[in-house]
Amino acid sequence: MKIIHTDDAPSHLGPVPQAVEAGGWIHVSALFGADPRERAIPEDARAEAEQLFANLTAILAAGGAGPSDVVRVGIVMRNLQRDRPVFNEVWAQWFGEHRPARSAIESSAFGRPGENARFMIEVAAYRG
């Protein structure tokens, strides 16, 4: 197993890597739309989703992968009905015609206290 890290995406505060690679698979840990340097979550849902995918792009690139290598995405949204349309628009722009498997759930209990992130994703990609 190899740890993947980039300064172009936010790091976890605890003992959690941004991602790990094993056997050609890249597993991205819980990822948020926080600015990599300031760690701030944008106030606008679209800006947060765009930052989230920028962070994902950076982590995948650090592992030698890209959007077309993504196989599955698990999504947690603070308010699924309100924010899913905006998230889906950014998703479609980022993935284009590529369609990884995905699930989405709603939860108000994720992220660090006071952060108020709308979105969190976990990703599996395969570099084969």
Side-chain angles (χ1 to χ4, degrees), residues 45-46 49 53 77 79-93 102 104 119:
R46 179 175 305 279
F53 283 106
M77 293 187 194
N79 186 323
L80 193 66
Q81 297 309 311
R82 179 192 69 205
D83 294 328
R84 183 176 19 206
V86 168
F87 187 90
N88 282 345
E89 288 173 16
V90 176
W91 169 283
Q93 291 168 358
R102 113 180 200 181
F119 312 115

Side-chain angles (χ1 to χ4, degrees), residues 35-55:
D35 176 86
R37 282 134 192 83
E38 303 296 321
R39 303 190 60 82
I41 301 286
E43 292 187 24
D44 175 73
R46 179 175 305 279
E48 182 180 343
E50 289 170 350
Q51 183 64 59
L52 175 73
F53 283 106
N55 294 342

Side-chain angles (χ1 to χ4, degrees), residues 50-83:
E50 289 170 350
Q51 183 64 59
L52 175 73
F53 283 106
N55 294 342
L56 178 57
T57 299
I59 292 170
L60 290 174
S68 63
D69 297 308
V70 173
V71 175
R72 184 187 184 292
V73 180
I75 308 160
V76 179
M77 293 187 194
R78 194 165 302 279
N79 186 323
L80 193 66
Q81 297 309 311
R82 179 192 69 205
D83 294 328

Side-chain angles (χ1 to χ4, degrees), residues 6-18:
T6 177
D7 290 335
D8 294 329
S11 296
H12 292 276
L13 297 177
V16 179
Q18 290 173 323

